[in-house]
Amino acid sequence: MDTGFRIHPEQASTAAPQVDALYFFLLGVSIFFTVLIAGLIVYFAIRFRQSAKTTRRPMEGNMALEITWIVVPLVIVTMIFFWSMSMYYDMSRIPEDALEIHVVAKQWMWKFQHPLGRREIDTLHVPAGRAVKLTMISQDVIHSFFVPAFRVKQDVLPGRYSRTWFEATEPGEYHLFCAEYCGTSHSQMIGRVVVMPQAEYQTWLAGGPKPDEPQAAGEALFARLRCGGCHGDGREAPKRGPLLAGVFERRVPLQSGTTVTADEDYLRQSILRPDARLVAGFEPMMPSYQGQLGEEEMNDLIAYLKSLGHAAVPAGANQP
Ligand code: CUA
């Protein structure tokens, strides 16, 4: 991990050189105009001072000058706009094949869960050369996931999933900060990101204590909360609640007449506030699970619902 003084953090992700190029361009433009304007102020102050014998005739207007100071800034800001827009677009579009890691932030720690279930706190292991998607949520207040070396900063909100991604390029250790003031120990909410070669990451993933696979943990929760009583086991058509097999990312018709894509946010809301966006054709009879599930349990439960995605939907089953 780099500890010495540097003007800007090391570049350790695919986005870093692009962000820096734009940053240095902005810095260059700012320095150029600051020096130009400050220099002209000093020059004019001396050249046109009261005691000077210069003839001063008032200026009536100068078309060439006006056009220049409209066109030059226009070209520069338009360039900045399109440059940053295309970069922002790349940064907000998460690659399809990204490795998904779940992040739960709370006062004052970062909890991570890997695809096969391995969990860790305040240290995040990731493979180099592979896109990593973070699906993040906070258990309490707003935090912000910030890895300067990756040029990645994303707020982590309570009650809503936020997502970001990066592709680390250099194996090594990097600082992780919380970049949103979140209470007394905000400054302690720090950690590290360990970037490993892919093969080493696979070994690491398989190591450690036998993890609870999110999907299995979710299935156990599904049983413990007795979700099956109304929703069935996901394979047969249930009676009182919508069928859950294949629900993830399906378009769901709602009581209100609109439809919604059953993404993580919708599933989470439907567990906590079932009546908020009720599926068409069902009674508002499901109890709320608000306060009964932590965010990590919620992740497990959603992982289980996702795993039902490929279960065969029987013919004639009532579609949620
Ligand atoms: Cu979490 Cu600041």
Side-chain angles (χ1 to χ4, degrees), residues 106-108 110 141-144 178-183 186-187 189:
K106 56 176 287 193
Q107 288 167 323
W108 287 277
W110 295 101
V141 299
I142 301 177
H143 303 273
S144 187
C178 175
E180 182 69 50
Y181 181 66
C182 56
H186 159 69
S187 63
M189 195 167 162

